[in-house]
Structures are given as C-alpha cells and as structure tokens.
Amino acid sequence: MTIDKDFKRAARELAEREGISYTAARRRLAAGPGDDKVQEPPVLVPIVSVPCSEGCDGSGHLGAVCRVWRPADVKSGARWEVRRAAELPSGRADQIAERAEGPDARAYGRYPILNDAWLLALVYAMLSDRQPELLPDRARLRAAVEADDLAAVDTLMEPLDRAAARLTTKVPETWWGEVKPVLDAYADEVESNNGRDLATLSWQEIEARDAVGRLVGKWRTAWTPVRNYNGYWDPPGVMWNAVKGWLDARLVDRHGGYAPKSRVRLADDRPAFVYAVEWGEAGPPEAYRVRDLVPGRHGNAGRLVPSLTGDDELVSASECFPFE
C-alpha cells in the first residue's frame, strides 16, 4: 500500500513539474528511468493523391501521394470518347471497334460482334508488354487528352495500331499457325506474373496486371465450349478476323487507300473486293488482300458479288485502281 501511495505522489509531482497530465506522468514513471520519451497518441494526417508526370519523386507534393496520370483523371474539358481512345488496353480497343462499326453499334444489342473487342485489348496488352517502344509519350498523350484532340491521340497511338494491324489477320492458316500460338504463349506469361514479384509493384501496376489477367481469362474461356441460355453448346472460338477489319478501317481513314469491303479494279482489269489491308511502318497501305468479284446468281443475278469460294490474293497497292 505504501509503494502505491509513493507512486501516486511521484506521479502528481512529475505532472506538476512537467506540466503534463497525471495519466501521462504515470505512464512515464511506469516505463522506467531509462525511457524519457512520452508516448503520444497517433496523429491522423489527411492524404490526397495527385496525378503526376512520369518520373516524379513526390518531393513537390508534400502531404500527398503521387500516382501516374491516367486519361480518366481528366474529369472535364475532354469528351468521353477521347479519354477512352487514350486508355490502354481496353478503352482504345472498344473505341476502335465502335468507330469501325458505327456510332450506334451498341444500340439495342444490334452488333454482338463488339463483345469480342476484348481480343483487340489483349493484342494491345501483349504489344505494350513486349514492345514498350510502341507506347505513346505520356506527357504528349496527356496534353492531347486535355486538349480534347482525338486526332492527336490517334497519331500518338498509331505505332501501336500499326503493329496490331500487322499482327492480326483474316487468313485462317496465319491465325491458327502463327497468331494464336503467340497469344497462347503470352497468356502463359501473364499467368506466371511475367516472373515479377508483385510486392515490388505499385498499386497502379497491380491494377493494370489485374486488368490484363481478366483479358487472359476471357482468352482461356473463349476456347472452352459453354452451354448457352437455350441449352445448346456454343462452339469454342472468338471472331478473330473482326479485329483486323477494325484496325484497317481506322488506318485507312487516316492515310487513305481502300478500306475493307471496297471495290477496286486490278491492273489486269479484273474487278475485285478488298478483304484486308497490309501495312508497313508508316504511310498508306502497301498491299491489299482481294477476292474476285463474280456475277451473282439467283437473287443477285446480274450483280457482281465477292467470291466466297476462291482464295484471297495479295496485290500491291500500285496495282489497285478505283472501281468504275
């Protein structure tokens, strides 16, 4: 009892001498003579996040958390389609598909083919990972989005669009023999986290890897038969040749030439139908994959229609002329 009274008296004297509370004095005395530090309660500091340019070390934003700028950070002054066109991989893929299919492509579900735009997003993700030099300069992209300049965004994204257009195809032998194995190998890489330790990634990088992981999940599911709502089994696969048509239409709109479904006349005076476009590193189309136009039968009698049974023919762009 005497010890407890002495402890209380010492605590009151320490509180009076130091100008602290009685409870704080008791805590200091209980900590022992070797610890003179007063344990203060934690202080909550308000933290905000600030989108920064590439390479920012945070020294200019005291009390704030820096993060990499994203097109979605532009809340006003830029149209939704401009922000989406600058967002990789899924945003740009959706925009490319919708612009190729028309402004009302998603109205009333008339174009279910747009549900396969994720395949283009997967192609963008793979090219971004394996060829980062194709990605646009972040500062210039930010300026283009904030200026609401869709043409400037398309210009900055063009190296990636061209690489995707050269990779994708409408030729079945090329798809099954070359392109699909490449995407299968990339899916394996993503599922193994590309050999990277997730603990070393920022939250934005982890979020981006999660988005790519969902695309890979769709890729895996696409090749597994599923039972539809009618009870029938849907065959595996995805509309892989649509992606090539979307990219060709976008690049022809920028650089001229003949878009897919156009009619041309070849150097030997044969009428033909443009099936796909071949692109180089820059400039207008280098060649076209064409199909012969043949006289229709039955309800199409007297009209020229694309031959669906003949093989595609690769023709140089210099050998294709307007159809008259």
Side-chain angles (χ1 to χ4, degrees), residues 49 83 140 280 299:
S49 62
R83 299 198 300 270
R140 294 175 61 192

Side-chain angles (χ1 to χ4, degrees), residues 38-47 63:
V38 179
Q39 297 181 3
E40 298 292 341
V43 177
L44 297 178
V45 179
I47 296 293

